[in-house]
Amino acid sequence: MDRLFASVDIYCERTDPSLWSEPVNALTNLLIVGAGFFGLAQVRSRKTGVYAALLCWWVVAIGLGSLLFHTTAIELTKWADIVPIATFTLAMAIFCLRRFAGLNWTKTAIYFSAYIAAASVVTYLVPAWLSEASNGTTAYLPALAGFAFFGVVALAHGSQAGWYCIACAIILLAGFVFRAVDQDVCAAFPLGTHFLWHILIAVMLGVILIAVARHGAPRGPAESEHR
């Protein structure tokens, strides 16, 4: 039980276990929360539906979960950071297949299962030294692959939302750099670079929620069943 309340110090900005030891890392999470509310406004104005609105609230949860972790920074609250991100990635994958590509449930299940299998293999094959050297950034490789893969699938099925997904993959890849080098730049730049990761993640989530609002309206059964 004590392990759940053990302090976590894995970012350059944090210098002690206190609540406000990562002010910049903590506050930049508000950009992620803002991206969620921005997306929600877009979804509501375009009447894109409940699933789309749920994704927006999910983004708000990602920002709040990360804010909680970057203030309390214990093993327990680390899961408030991890779980919303992981589950959003899965929910977004299904949304891409159903709403962007317009696939029926059978084909969605096939594509989704293939993605989960491939992501599991990649995660298993990542060597421990690389995960450690990148400060755990390799854990986000499935999300990167997902945006790229589902973007291509959406484009192949005639949806311009695929370009948004590919743009998200590029933004996420750029974010990897800042997340990975955070500890390496401490000596020269005590603030670290993790806050830049948060900023790029907020931009990426804003981009994908624009795609959700513009291209994620429910498709009729007749439209999706032939795909």
Side-chain angles (χ1 to χ4, degrees):
M1 193 69 176
D2 290 342
R3 186 171 180 274
L4 291 176
F5 296 93
S7 296
V8 177
D9 184 1
I10 56 176
Y11 301 115
C12 183
E13 187 183 14
R14 178 164 291 279
T15 57
D16 60 62
S18 65
L19 188 70
W20 206 238
S21 188
E22 294 181 65
V24 178
N25 284 349
L27 290 175
T28 46
N29 284 297
L30 296 179
L31 295 174
I32 299 175
V33 174
F37 283 117
F38 167 77
L40 188 63
Q42 295 294 308
V43 163
R44 286 177 174 174
S45 68
R46 294 173 181 270
K47 296 180 173 58
T48 318
V50 175
Y51 192 171
L54 179 61
L55 290 175
C56 298
W57 285 112
W58 225 311
V59 168
V60 172
I62 289 173
L64 293 177
S66 185
L67 174 62
L68 180 63
F69 175 56
H70 283 285
T71 48
T72 56
I74 59 175
E75 287 291 338
L76 181 62
T77 56
K78 181 171 71 174
W79 291 101
D81 187 30
I82 294 172
V83 173
I85 295 171
T87 52
F88 176 83
T89 301
L90 300 178
M92 193 67 236
I94 295 173
F95 190 93
C96 288
L97 293 170
R98 287 288 293 164
R99 297 289 183 84
F100 293 165
L103 300 181
N104 60 38
W105 278 111
T106 301
K107 290 185 178 180
T108 294
I110 293 171
Y111 276 100
F112 184 76
S113 298
Y115 164 66
I116 292 297
S120 299
V121 170
V122 169
T123 301
Y124 176 78
L125 292 177
V126 170
W129 67 264
L130 182 58
S131 177
E132 184 175 348
S134 66
N135 201 23
T137 304
T138 53
Y140 293 89
L141 285 174
L144 175 67
F147 276 121
F149 174 64
F150 295 122
V152 171
V153 172
L155 287 171
H157 288 82
S159 174
Q160 293 302 302
W163 292 116
Y164 291 80
C165 294
I166 291 172
C168 286
I170 294 170
I171 296 168
L172 185 58
L173 183 61
F176 277 11
V177 176
F178 296 113
R179 193 184 192 285
V181 303
D182 178 67
Q183 292 281 7
D184 298 326
V185 303
C186 274
F189 189 55
L191 180 61
T193 57
H194 192 78
F195 74 97
L196 294 171
W197 158 257
H198 287 170
I199 292 171
L200 286 174
I201 289 298
V203 172
M204 182 202 75
L205 290 170
V207 169
I208 200 60
L209 291 182
I210 289 173
V212 166
R214 292 181 178 177
H215 302 282
R219 294 170 179 255
E223 184 180 0
S224 62
E225 284 304 318
H226 75 282
R227 293 176 181 261

